[in-house]
Amino acid sequence: NAEYGQLAALSTPHQFLMLSAAPEHEAKFQAARARHGSIMAFHGSPMENWHAILRTGLRNASGSKLQIHGAAHGSGIYLSPNCSTSWGYTRTSVSNSARPAENGLGYLGKDLVCMALCEVVNHELKNNNSNIWVMPHEHYVVTRFFIVWDYNALGALSGVSTQTEPLKSQIQYCLQYYGLDSNN
């Protein structure tokens, strides 16, 4: 539940609040947010990308060797207010890195899905489609929550959006509680 930093609407206890980005990134983000406001959105990526994302933040990989999806909506970081839209970018079929422990404990499943719930500066955000947003500026995106699901959870997440209740209020409560006030 939100009072413990958990977003009940996401149907998983495996949620990790990210209290800040790298100091330089967070400072640029805070300055831009103060000028333009912010909005929350999901970002989905394959399992093998999350170590780098959590260490260095989301990067605009468009046009580089790191790009793994097309750029039908332009160059930038792809986000969505809808959980199920970002889920499609997780490429779960190749994310087989989780293995059961020898004693059988601690096994979440081989088809783990990881996503970020990001705070995004609401300026120059390309909204070509109501479900797909593109942010060309890396310093305008900060991961606020890292979330892990078993692949089978997708059905429970249909219709979950950062723009509607109850998730919108749960996010706001958590960010305010930890001093990361969002102004969506």
Side-chain angles (χ1 to χ4, degrees):
N1 63 45
E3 61 191 283
Y4 299 108
Q6 295 281 302
L7 306 171
L10 298 182
S11 302
T12 180
H14 308 292
Q15 304 172 31
F16 306 92
L17 180 65
M18 312 297 284
L19 292 178
S20 71
E24 308 81 37
H25 185 106
E26 186 74 30
K28 287 180 181 178
F29 176 84
Q30 292 295 338
R33 182 178 81 169
R35 286 189 311 274
H36 306 292
S38 67
I39 194 162
M40 300 298 290
F42 291 98
H43 175 82
S45 192
M47 179 69 76
E48 56 270 17
N49 294 348
W50 285 103
H51 180 260
I53 291 170
L54 292 174
R55 286 182 44 91
T56 63
L58 286 166
R59 300 286 183 230
N60 179 351
S62 298
S64 77
K65 66 180 181 176
L66 300 175
Q67 181 177 339
I68 57 173
H69 296 288
H73 300 282
S75 175
I77 298 169
Y78 277 59
L79 304 131
S80 179
N82 298 316
C83 187
S84 56
T85 299
S86 289
W87 188 287
Y89 290 89
T90 63
R91 213 173 63 187
T92 54
S93 62
V94 297
S95 299
N96 294 326
S97 58
R99 301 279 182 242
E102 285 186 34
N103 63 5
L105 300 175
Y107 179 70
L108 288 175
K110 69 177 184 167
D111 290 322
L112 296 179
V113 175
C114 297
M115 283 200 291
L117 183 51
C118 303
E119 188 174 2
V120 184
V121 171
N122 199 6
H123 180 68
E124 298 185 31
L125 181 63
K126 298 175 187 172
N127 184 358
N128 301 335
N129 168 322
S130 63
N131 292 322
I132 298 174
W133 299 347
V134 182
M135 173 48 71
H137 309 295
E138 294 175 356
H139 63 278
Y140 280 17
V141 180
V142 175
T143 297
R144 293 297 185 211
F145 294 86
F146 176 65
I147 307 148
V148 181
W149 290 275
D150 181 275
Y151 183 76
N152 296 321
L154 179 58
L157 300 171
S158 177
V160 172
S161 172
T162 60
Q163 305 302 296
T164 60
E165 299 300 340
L167 184 57
K168 187 173 183 176
S169 294
Q170 292 171 4
I171 293 167
Q172 188 69 34
Y173 178 88
C174 286
L175 294 179
Q176 286 176 347
Y177 182 82
Y178 288 103
L180 298 169
D181 297 304
S182 175
N183 45 16
N184 334 343

